[in-house]
Amino acid sequence: MKKILYALVLSCLFMVMGIVSNGNCDQAKAATPVQKWGRLSVKGSSIVNQKGRKVQLKGVSTHGIAWFPQYVNKSCFKSFRKMGVNTIRIAFYSDPGSGYSVDLYKTIDEGVQYATELGMYVILDWHILNDGNPKTHQKQALKFFTRFAKKYKKQKNILYEICNEPNGNVTWEKDIRPYANKVIKRIRKYDKKNIIVVGTPTWSQDVDVVAEKPLKQKNIAYSLHFYAATHKDWNRDKVKKAFKKGLPMLVTEFSICDASGNGGIDKGSAGQWMKLLKKYKIGHVAWNISNKNETSALIKASCKKTGGFTKGNLSKSGRWIAKWWKK
Ligand code: IDC
């Protein structure tokens, strides 16, 4: 009898302990970025959460996924989330010379799945670069966005970036606007709500030009790219002008070295950029998740891991930028 009573008391105790620890566990599990903010939208010159409050996205971009697909994994994304990152950008180069291949759609799907499981936002980046005019591969772009908008239209965590960096003999009126109108129309056929980010002239620097005559559609933001050692006051002035005109901007790519993605770090200019972005609550996404021997690579060249990163695994630029993920 005594034994039975003893067993009963013990099992009750375990039950209570189980409930308590489960409860604690749920409490300890912090909400993910997407649980906190929900679907994003554009309101005036800002990106806002589902409650209409201004938010600042903080992200990291993959390198071209044709070259560094190994970093598209959950452990990699999770380790950046731990450091304060809420957004992953998946860079898909649109030019055959830079690894364009529809076979990589699978890698994109995997990336979206990992980011989604982790409650992170994900930017699908149609990465035009050597193909400076977005019209060059417009047909392929339409196919790309048809596929992904159809597939992800119900998800809250998707952003579409329709042309990374228009450059060369390309203008807003003649090239980018007509391209954007076509691609936006196509995406909106399926996905009515998620934000679409449009590239701006001269490698996504001329936000002031776009601010004079932005697009008419809703939920559109514009790309602003900078490499702090190259793009300085003259470029920040463009941003100030555009902001005053009410242009919603998102830094879908930046680094603190020069525009080659390499060279020295300019902490002075970088600090000015980050302060400006914080003041305006403009989100930023750092280039690039790789251990390539170039300054903009966020992982140290000597680090051979592809996930589970800690601050110690970050390169010099990675460590400098990581401070801003917590601010
Ligand atoms: C660079 C990569 C580099 C790669 C090169 C080739 O850092 O390793 O060899 O592309 O395409 C951009 C582009 C981005 C560039 C980056 C640095 O969007 O693709 O990546 N950059 O040059 N715009 C300004 C700088």
Side-chain angles (χ1 to χ4, degrees):
M1 185 62 184
K2 235 184 182 176
K3 262 189 193 161
I4 295 173
L5 211 72
Y6 189 61
L8 219 71
V9 169
L10 256 183
S11 58
C12 275
L13 203 72
F14 282 135
M15 244 173 71
V16 169
M17 271 166 62
I19 290 166
V20 169
S21 72
N22 266 341
N24 278 347
C25 189
D26 282 347
Q27 266 175 9
K29 231 193 217 169
T32 66
V34 178
Q35 279 168 349
K36 271 195 258 172
W37 289 348
R39 193 191 297 278
L40 306 172
S41 61
V42 176
K43 193 169 143 194
S45 57
S46 305
I47 290 182
V48 299
N49 66 13
Q50 61 188 4
K51 291 185 182 145
R53 295 205 188 102
K54 292 179 190 174
V55 294
Q56 194 185 18
L57 292 180
K58 293 181 178 175
V60 286
S61 175
T62 68
H63 199 291
I65 54 169
W67 296 311
F68 292 95
Q70 65 271 37
Y71 294 100
V72 181
N73 71 75
K74 196 168 174 182
S75 160
C76 170
F77 294 178
K78 191 174 181 183
S79 55
F80 282 106
R81 191 185 69 176
K82 270 194 196 150
M83 293 185 235
V85 163
N86 51 35
T87 304
I88 301 287
R89 178 190 195 229
I90 301 178
F92 179 76
Y93 279 69
S94 52
D95 164 38
S98 307
Y100 167 86
S101 158
V102 290
D103 293 346
L104 289 169
Y105 283 8
K106 191 171 163 279
T107 309
I108 301 178
D109 283 334
E110 286 164 2
V112 173
Q113 190 192 326
Y114 304 140
T116 305
E117 286 168 5
L118 291 163
M120 300 174 86
Y121 296 95
V122 56
I123 302 175
L124 301 180
D125 162 34
W126 180 255
H127 201 88
I128 69 161
L129 188 61
N130 291 343
D131 44 342
N133 193 328
K135 285 171 166 173
T136 311
H137 295 123
Q138 180 169 292
K139 244 195 221 154
Q140 291 86 336
L142 286 167
K143 276 195 190 151
F144 177 89
F145 287 107
T146 302
R147 182 193 188 274
F148 289 101
K150 258 190 195 170
K151 189 162 171 119
Y152 296 121
K153 60 177 188 263
K154 292 211 175 106
Q155 291 196 196
K156 290 188 249 186
N157 62 330
I158 308 288
L159 293 92
Y160 304 95
E161 182 178 0
I162 67 172
C163 49
N164 170 50
E165 291 186 351
N167 66 86
N169 185 23
V170 168
T171 69
W172 175 242
E173 282 306 317
K174 177 168 66 68
D175 306 292
I176 309 171
R177 178 197 284 282
Y179 167 84
N181 279 332
K182 285 211 176 84
V183 176
I184 292 169
K185 194 172 166 203
R186 181 64 63 87
I187 295 174
R188 288 291 178 246
K189 197 170 157 189
Y190 307 104
D191 186 331
K192 313 278 183 221
K193 291 186 184 160
N194 285 311
I195 294 178
I196 299 173
V197 189
V198 181
T200 55
T202 327
W203 294 282
S204 288
Q205 291 162 28
D206 293 346
V207 283
D208 54 337
V209 172
V210 175
E212 296 292 333
K213 219 177 157 201
L215 296 160
K216 298 209 167 68
Q217 296 88 334
K218 275 189 192 152
N219 269 335
I220 307 292
Y222 298 87
S223 306
L224 160 65
H225 289 182
F226 69 87
Y227 283 74
T230 303
H231 307 113
K232 304 202 179 180
D233 277 339
W234 55 270
N235 208 156
R236 288 187 284 271
D237 287 345
K238 286 173 177 282
V239 179
K240 290 177 191 166
K241 255 196 211 163
F243 188 79
K244 279 178 194 138
K245 287 240 164 195
L247 193 76
M249 290 172 272
L250 180 63
V251 175
T252 49
E253 196 185 296
F254 81 99
S255 189
I256 59 176
C257 55
D258 69 41
S260 69
N262 214 342
I265 290 173
D266 187 335
K267 288 189 185 165
S269 172
Q272 288 190 46
W273 271 112
M274 299 315 269
K275 278 182 209 145
L276 187 67
L277 299 184
K278 190 163 186 228
K279 184 173 159 200
Y280 291 163
K281 279 219 173 209
I282 297 177
H284 49 77
V285 179
W287 182 260
N288 67 76
I289 311 175
S290 82
N291 71 342
K292 187 169 174 175
N293 197 7
E294 62 180 3
T295 316
S296 60
L298 293 165
I299 311 293
K300 269 185 189 163
S302 61
C303 175
K304 305 296 176 206
K305 291 193 285 192
T306 56
F309 301 117
T310 59
K311 286 234 172 91
N313 299 133
L314 299 182
S315 64
K316 272 192 192 150
S317 61
R319 288 200 301 278
W320 192 93
I321 293 166
K323 287 187 294 185
W324 290 89
W325 295 333
K326 295 282 184 191
K327 286 185 192 182

